[in-house]
Amino acid sequence: MSDASHNDPAEPAQTAGQTATKPVPNWRPWLVKGAFESALIILSVIVAMAVSQWADDQKTAARVKEMRGFLRAEIQANRDLIAHPDALPHHERLKQVFGESMGSLEAPVSREAAVGAARSLFATGLHPTHVSDAVWTSLSGGELMEHMDPREVFMLAALYRDQGNLDDVNLAGYEAATGLVELLATGEDAKVRLMRTLLMLEDMVAQERRLIALYDQALAELDDAPRVVVSAQSKSGTNRPGDAAPAKS
């Protein structure tokens, strides 16, 4: 009887049935937890990148403000040089003296009048104005310029281009003064030499007046709050450090 019970074929079937109906582990809570933790990691990375970009933008804005200040200081110094009594006012007085000495285009000029005009120049000197562009030259090639308002950059480029023309006018002044030296020595070609000097003085006065107007425009523009331009690379999170010395405002 005991052998028959051990050889009962129903027992293996019951064991097999118990194994087939064993419950499957529930992975849903683990999947939800994993997805939540992954989302937190991604969010943390995004927040960290945003904070880093904000810090970079603040640093760039501070450097742009400083750079505009250096430019403003240089422009103000150049304006003060041209407006100094030894510069534009002096050139205006010389222009008046030479204009009165020369008279009309048709009238002849006496040697005495020509020599008197020449001596008025040599008594004080021509005093050509030598303005500076050191700050502009240092900054104009740097990436920090990309963060300035384009209108400001165009305005400054036009200003410093016109400022460079003053060197040509100064060179013409030296050449005209050399001709006046010959006038004092020989007295020849008085009318031509006076006219050449007068034309030079007219160009010099016109150029200096134009520069003062451009300086005033630039100073008014740079007095306003800076408009910082954020580049496409900066928006995407890539740092764009400037490679030029900035300026104060």
Side-chain angles (χ1 to χ4, degrees), residues 85-99:
D86 288 340
L88 176 57
H90 174 62
H91 300 149
E92 290 174 331
R93 287 192 298 270
L94 288 175
K95 174 186 170 185
Q96 182 178 0
V97 168
F98 275 81

Side-chain angles (χ1 to χ4, degrees), residues 191-208:
K191 183 81 172 183
V192 173
R193 298 183 192 281
L194 283 184
M195 185 179 298
R196 184 179 301 164
T197 305
L198 179 60
L199 290 174
M200 176 274 299
L201 288 169
E202 288 178 344
D203 288 345
M204 182 174 288
V205 167
Q207 183 66 22
E208 289 173 341

